[in-house]
Amino acid sequence: MAVDDQQWDSKYDVVVIGSGGAALAGALAAVKRGLSVCVVEKSSYFGGTSAYSGGSVWLPGNHVLERQGVDDSVEDGLTYFRALVGDRTSEDLQRTFLETGPVVARFLEDEVGIPLEHRPFPDYYVAPGRKDYGRSIFAAAISADELGDRLRDIRPPVPADQFGMEVDRSELDGGQAWIARMVLALDESGRADLHLGTAAQRLIVDDAGDVIGLEVGEGESRRTIRARAGVIVAAGGYERNAELRRIHQQMPTADWSASHPDTGSGDALRMLSEVGAQVDLLDQSWWCPATLFPNGRAAFTLGVRAGIIVDPTGQRFANEMLPYDQMGRAMLQRMRDGAGEVFWFVFDNRFGDELPAICVPAPERAAMTEAGLWHTASTVGELAAATGLDAEKLTATIDRYNGFAAAGRDEDFARGEDPYGRFFVGAQDAAQCLPSLDGSRFHAVRLVLGDLGTKGGAVISTEGAVCRADGSVIRGLYAAGNSSASVSGEVYPGPGTPLGSGMVFAYRAVADMAAHLAGAAGTTT
């Protein structure tokens, strides 16, 4: 019996699993090619973890950068990327990402109609081709009025979604702007059906092992969807799956991830593995320091302006102004060295009694103090006693740091000597990044190792097609975003690498599907 003679509940050219930036970029690429699209999202909101993000998209050498006077090129981007990633992923995959990036930026602005702009945010590593003010492009903010009834379908920002706080949603920016504008564009296309509360259950394959459709669940009911051109799996990683985190990353919990518990369940990894996909980078995440909250969740923390971060021994172990993934990796290394999982952000009242860093939501001191996650003392010794740190070691650590502050140079970790660290302080030199710790009150706030999602998944070809272990591709199956093994390997080159690479390979996946459809049509005629 032919595939299309089987009983299907619905049929489309392209089926997309997930609704983050990569998923919706793929859906838009499909409708702009005249293809019919079905997007299935298991949660009650569109956007996944992308809706939580700052919305940076890293695509070197694009027209938006040129328009705003940023001196950049694809070759500069590739030089930088190759210097960092090396051979951890294939050179062909890296080159494809960098060369397609400007095409995708043009597509999103000129064909989809999303207004784009560059905002400064430094690249994360010192390497040839780096841009100190970055290559980040963003979707312009969008008002709730323009979004209309769709506002209720866009995943709310972290403070509302995970901490139950009231937030102003009269204007959506960052990752929320991307998701909102993409959903509106899909609605306006007339070629896309978008489904919330619809969980992908399994990929359907034919006798040859090609993926031909998807089984989904809505409550207790099940239905099948035919995918004539293919299925894009862009449903995130497995960061919220405690068992998989223990197996692949030896993490003590899955609660510290920035993603929502509804996302990052590992469903994508399971479905891909069931059909024979080769997987890689399962030990990797987009790491970050995170402030632990009384509800057991943790909030992404970056942009340290003052204070120091100490491990359970009361000692500094890294430059606190490192890019967040690198600071997270330093925390991970301390954990793997046996130091434990308890970290403290120690600061004084020199700049007030608030956390001298960016944390969304900002921690509320009284509630944190009651939960034992924020301690305040008039002396370092008292602070050590409250946190359980060794008073002698913590005092020595602070004295040593204060010596560096007086000299204007951090001899241990070179804090403030990189443009990234100075960016958040607005500093011109390293000395401005080393305010002394000698106020009349001292604070310690509990930090943990968090992440912005896992970055391991299916190995993909340059066309976004999912590969088997023998190097062949599974026809009809594609992966993008955190459902795929990241093209950036074990590093995080710059702000927006996850979104940028996810959008690129989803875009290329649709181009490949369209080519196969055209070839099939040519054969039949």
Side-chain angles (χ1 to χ4, degrees):
M1 182 170 62
V3 168
D4 283 332
D5 290 335
Q6 297 181 32
Q7 290 295 114
W8 298 93
D9 293 302
S10 55
K11 297 179 182 180
Y12 296 87
D13 294 319
V14 177
V15 176
V16 180
I17 306 174
S19 64
L24 297 185
L28 285 165
V31 298
K32 290 299 180 181
R33 288 179 178 270
L35 305 178
S36 60
V37 178
C38 178
V39 175
V40 296
E41 166 59 51
K42 76 172 184 178
S43 76
S44 55
Y45 296 111
F46 296 119
T49 304
S50 299
Y52 284 169
S53 76
S56 174
V57 172
W58 197 83
L59 300 172
N62 67 70
H63 73 287
V64 183
L65 302 176
E66 182 180 9
R67 183 171 67 211
Q68 293 188 225
V70 178
D71 181 19
D72 192 23
S73 68
V74 168
E75 283 305 316
D76 278 355
L78 183 60
T79 296
Y80 175 73
F81 202 81
R82 286 287 297 160
L84 302 178
V85 182
D87 294 327
R88 185 58 183 87
T89 60
S90 80
E91 184 174 1
D92 285 347
L93 195 70
Q94 295 173 34
R95 181 170 288 279
T96 297
F97 164 44
L98 272 296
E99 290 180 347
T100 309
V103 178
V104 171
R106 276 283 184 195
F107 165 75
L108 291 168
E109 186 163 64
D110 295 353
E111 294 188 49
V112 178
I114 298 175
L116 304 178
E117 60 192 40
H118 165 66
R119 301 176 193 173
F121 201 133
D123 284 339
Y124 293 163
Y125 284 86
V126 177
R130 180 198 200 180
K131 300 299 176 184
D132 289 351
Y133 286 93
R135 306 169 148 104
S136 298
I137 61 171
F138 297 77
I142 182 172
S143 71
D145 289 341
E146 186 176 350
L147 189 54
D149 290 342
R150 272 301 195 188
L151 175 64
R152 65 188 177 208
D153 295 330
I154 307 302
R155 182 167 292 285
V158 171
D161 206 28
Q162 295 203 42
F163 296 90
M165 299 177 178
E166 292 290 330
V167 298
D168 180 6
R169 299 194 76 192
S170 60
E171 183 177 81
L172 280 66
D173 201 2
Q176 296 224 320
W178 276 112
I179 301 303
R181 289 186 178 280
M182 287 177 159
V183 167
L184 280 187
L186 288 168
D187 286 344
E188 292 166 0
S189 74
R191 292 183 175 275
D193 290 335
L194 281 62
H195 299 276
L196 292 170
T198 304
Q201 301 291 332
R202 67 179 180 93
L203 296 162
I204 300 173
V205 299
D206 63 13
D207 293 340
D210 300 342
V211 171
I212 58 174
L214 179 70
E215 179 183 300
V216 300
E218 296 171 289
E220 296 300 316
S221 66
R222 296 288 183 271
R223 63 188 180 92
T224 57
I225 307 173
R226 170 76 168 108
R228 286 183 284 257
V231 175
I232 301 176
V233 182
Y238 66 89
E239 60 273 4
R240 283 293 187 168
N241 187 308
E243 181 180 5
L244 292 178
R245 294 300 296 268
R246 282 193 296 270
I247 292 171
H248 297 296
Q249 299 185 335
Q250 297 78 55
M251 283 293 289
T253 179
D255 293 338
W256 298 340
S257 178
S259 77
H260 191 277
D262 287 346
T263 65
S265 63
D267 290 349
L269 180 61
R270 172 186 56 78
M271 287 186 290
L272 289 161
S273 298
E274 286 172 349
V275 297
Q278 181 185 7
V279 296
D280 192 17
L281 294 170
L282 296 184
D283 61 332
Q284 298 294 310
S285 289
W286 308 96
W287 301 107
C288 65
T291 300
L292 187 61
F293 276 69
N295 65 359
R297 295 178 183 171
F300 174 33
T301 303
L302 76 161
V304 170
R305 299 186 299 277
I308 60 174
I309 296 174
V310 299
D311 65 15
T313 71
Q315 296 174 299
R316 293 177 73 208
F317 55 95
N319 166 12
E320 295 85 357
M321 291 184 176
L322 279 172
Y324 48 87
D325 181 71
Q326 294 173 52
M327 187 63 190
R329 288 176 184 275
M331 295 169 74
L332 178 64
Q333 187 60 54
R334 293 300 294 132
M335 291 168 64
R336 291 181 174 171
D337 287 343
E341 63 197 45
V342 177
F343 299 88
W344 292 100
F345 186 6
V346 178
F347 54 97
D348 64 10
N349 63 335
R350 171 182 291 268
F351 301 106
D353 292 314
E354 302 302 317
L355 195 74
I358 300 169
C359 180
V360 181
E364 203 279 314
R365 183 177 165 190
M368 296 280 286
T369 298
E370 184 178 354
L373 301 173
W374 188 317
H375 299 282
T376 301
S378 58
T379 69
V380 173
E382 291 174 2
L383 193 71
T387 56
L389 295 169
D390 183 282
E392 185 176 340
K393 289 183 178 178
L394 182 61
T395 299
T397 295
I398 291 176
D399 287 347
R400 182 172 177 80
Y401 169 80
N402 283 341
F404 296 154
R409 184 169 184 270
D410 178 4
E411 295 182 8
D412 286 343
F413 302 110
R415 175 163 146 177
E417 294 181 18
D418 183 81
Y420 180 89
R422 296 197 298 271
F423 176 79
F424 289 97
V425 180
Q428 300 301 311
D429 57 45
Q432 294 174 278
C433 297
L434 295 165
S436 60
L437 265 167
D438 55 8
S440 59
R441 282 188 303 280
F442 296 90
H443 303 279
V445 171
R446 174 74 189 281
L447 297 184
V448 294
L449 174 59
D451 63 74
L452 308 178
T454 51
K455 62 186 301 189
V459 174
I460 58 174
S461 73
T462 56
E463 306 311 316
V466 172
C467 299
R468 298 184 179 91
D470 64 4
S472 64
V473 300
I474 302 173
R475 290 196 59 181
L477 183 60
Y478 301 80
N482 287 353
S483 295
S484 64
S486 174
V487 64
S488 71
E490 298 175 359
V491 297
Y492 196 156
T497 304
L499 276 175
S501 58
M503 290 177 178
V504 162
F505 287 109
Y507 177 89
R508 291 190 66 87
V510 170
D512 195 54
M513 291 185 209
H516 285 303
L517 280 179
T523 300
T524 57
T525 56

